[in-house]
Amino acid sequence: VSTQSTWGIKGMEERTTIAETLYTTDVKEEQISLFRGFIVLNPGISRLNYLAMLLHGFVVTLAYASVELMFNMLVGSSEYYKVDKTILGTTSGSILLVDMIGRLILAGPWGVLHDKLGRQIMVLGGFIISGLAMITLPLHAPNLLLLVVNRVIFGSFLLCVGMAPLLADYVDTRYKGRAAGINVILASSGAISGVYMIGQLRKQMSLGDIHTILGSLVVLIGIFVALFVKRGRYFSSHHSKKDSFLNNMRIGFSQARNPWIGLGYTMTFLSRGIAFLSASGIVLWTKSFFEDEKVAELQASYLSKVCYITVFIMGGVSGIIVDKFSKFVNVGGMLISSICAMVGIVLIGDPSDPLTVAFVMLLGVGIGMSLSLIHI
């Protein structure tokens, strides 16, 4: 990722990496090596900072995965929003579309504020607001309009947290592939933890109570993470009149003329799409086969758990693939496994079939590879 760059406008000669830009004043500081040299941190970054980064990925994915898994349950539940099963997919998809539009609008401003105000305040505020929004998601039933507003608040502020470029800030660029793999392992651990807790708690608690527990957990862990994230007010030390939001957006679009950068944008788009749509789609698809809500929820939880466990395993593997071979090997594996998995799931047409479980695992392979691309 380049900053203060005119790559694609005046040429590549002025390109500088984030690590080079942020740490030019700290070149004399010792670089900490972790896992016997498997990863080397940037100068000025402590082990506690790195731990906060790992927990950051864990709790962000725990929140995302938990809400995605429970959202269709919540909307279609006879106890809450009571949307008929025949229009559940349309309703959930429309709400998700509005949520995505909100994230799209706020993505640019969030990035600028991360640099201008610092990582710490943005991470802290994002975790608190998204956690509280998570707690209140079930409380607006049966008013769907308020649910949409709440979902947009949740998604937008969790995006604010997730946009913190901690990997670029903290890890030496020579080790970014393997570092991204470790991040995916921790992130998928968060997803697995969320899915597991939902499966266990659902046996004895309402969806509202589960939202309260998980939302409170997001707030508490988020506060801990924010305390140990470096402030990182990089914007002020490099600020110039050319650093306006609109100018940065113009530079970003101009860079896409370069086919390699354009490909990177496309892969990021596909990676996030695969991760989000598969998480929500598994629940919707499973619920269409069962009349009993509880049975459908348990089966959806089981398939999600299988998927995220596979993501957990593939996280480290995909990071090594990037470092040892190429990003393109990772991209090819992501596309082939994801497409084959989705086609296979549709053709089998039975969430209880063992082959469905196998294809869900294959989908997890694709998601694991896609998530490592997002981190890089």
Side-chain angles (χ1 to χ4, degrees):
V1 180
S2 60
T3 59
Q4 302 285 347
S5 169
T6 54
W7 192 14
I9 300 175
K10 294 181 180 178
M12 298 185 185
E13 66 275 4
E14 298 181 23
R15 184 188 180 204
T16 55
T17 64
I18 284 182
E20 291 168 341
T21 301
L22 301 186
Y23 298 102
T24 51
T25 58
D26 297 324
V27 291
K28 295 182 180 179
E29 290 191 50
E30 179 185 358
Q31 288 184 268
I32 294 174
S33 174
L34 300 175
F35 312 119
R36 297 188 176 182
F38 189 72
I39 289 176
V40 175
L41 303 182
N42 276 321
I45 302 301
S46 68
R47 290 179 176 82
L48 198 55
N49 296 145
Y50 182 72
L51 174 62
M53 182 191 75
L54 295 180
L55 286 176
H56 169 272
F58 175 89
V59 72
V60 166
T61 315
L62 181 147
Y64 267 130
S66 299
V67 168
E68 289 299 330
L69 179 59
M70 291 192 291
F71 192 72
N72 292 311
M73 300 178 187
L74 194 66
V75 174
S77 173
S78 56
E79 299 177 21
Y80 293 94
Y81 292 95
K82 305 176 183 178
V83 173
D84 190 86
K85 187 166 63 174
T86 57
I87 59 170
L88 178 59
T90 302
T91 303
S92 296
S94 300
I95 295 173
L96 182 60
L97 176 62
V98 175
D99 180 19
M100 291 295 184
I101 291 173
R103 298 185 202 188
L104 179 65
I105 293 171
L106 289 172
W110 284 155
V112 173
L113 288 174
H114 266 291
D115 286 340
K116 192 169 186 179
L117 301 180
R119 316 291 193 234
Q120 194 173 59
I121 186 65
M122 298 298 289
V123 168
L124 178 62
F127 270 131
I128 291 175
I129 295 176
S130 59
L132 293 176
M134 188 174 175
I135 292 171
T136 55
L137 276 172
L139 303 183
H140 306 300
N143 191 322
L144 281 175
L145 179 60
L146 291 178
L147 174 66
V148 172
V149 173
N150 204 343
R151 175 65 195 242
V152 171
I153 292 172
F154 167 79
S156 298
F157 278 89
L158 198 58
L159 172 68
C160 169
V161 175
M163 282 185 66
L166 302 183
L167 179 62
D169 289 353
Y170 289 3
V171 179
D172 190 301
T173 54
R174 295 170 296 172
Y175 303 87
K176 63 181 180 180
R178 56 190 72 176
I182 294 177
N183 277 22
V184 173
I185 291 173
L186 265 293
S188 55
S189 298
I192 293 169
S193 300
V195 172
Y196 176 79
M197 285 190 284
I198 291 169
Q200 295 300 309
L201 295 175
R202 189 68 181 109
K203 297 174 183 177
Q204 51 192 338
M205 290 185 181
S206 67
L207 287 171
D209 292 337
I210 298 174
H211 275 84
T212 299
I213 291 173
L214 293 179
S216 301
L217 194 61
V218 168
V219 172
L220 292 175
I221 300 178
I223 291 173
F224 174 82
V225 169
L227 288 176
F228 296 104
V229 167
K230 287 185 78 71
R231 294 179 183 276
R233 290 189 62 185
Y234 306 121
F235 186 94
S236 58
S237 60
H238 301 288
H239 178 63
S240 70
K241 292 181 179 179
K242 295 181 180 180
D243 284 324
S244 69
F245 169 69
L246 291 178
N247 189 58
N248 285 333
M249 290 294 291
R250 181 177 64 82
I251 292 172
F253 282 115
S254 298
Q255 287 177 346
R257 296 173 188 170
N258 182 300
W260 298 113
I261 297 177
L263 179 63
Y265 288 171
T266 304
M267 287 302 103
T268 300
F269 172 79
L270 290 175
S271 299
R272 293 190 181 276
I274 290 170
F276 282 116
L277 292 178
S278 58
S280 180
I282 285 177
V283 179
L284 276 174
W285 181 73
T286 304
K287 284 180 75 71
S288 66
F289 288 88
F290 297 95
E291 293 294 332
D292 190 304
E293 286 184 10
K294 284 275 188 177
V295 174
E297 290 171 4
L298 289 174
Q299 184 63 22
S301 177
Y302 169 70
L303 292 177
S304 297
K305 194 185 304 179
V306 169
C307 183
Y308 284 121
I309 288 174
T310 310
V311 173
F312 173 87
I313 296 170
M314 279 305 301
V317 174
S318 59
I320 294 173
I321 289 173
V322 170
D323 274 347
K324 296 294 184 183
F325 299 99
S326 167
K327 288 182 183 179
F328 299 106
V329 175
N330 220 36
V331 169
M334 175 196 79
L335 293 175
I336 292 171
S337 56
S338 300
I339 292 171
C340 290
M342 292 177 181
V343 171
I345 289 171
V346 171
L347 288 179
I348 293 172
D350 180 4
S352 302
D353 193 299
L355 280 176
T356 298
V357 178
F359 278 114
V360 167
M361 292 175 67
L362 187 60
L363 180 61
V365 171
I367 295 175
M369 288 183 160
S370 74
L371 291 177
S372 67
L373 290 172
I374 290 173
H375 283 287
I376 293 172

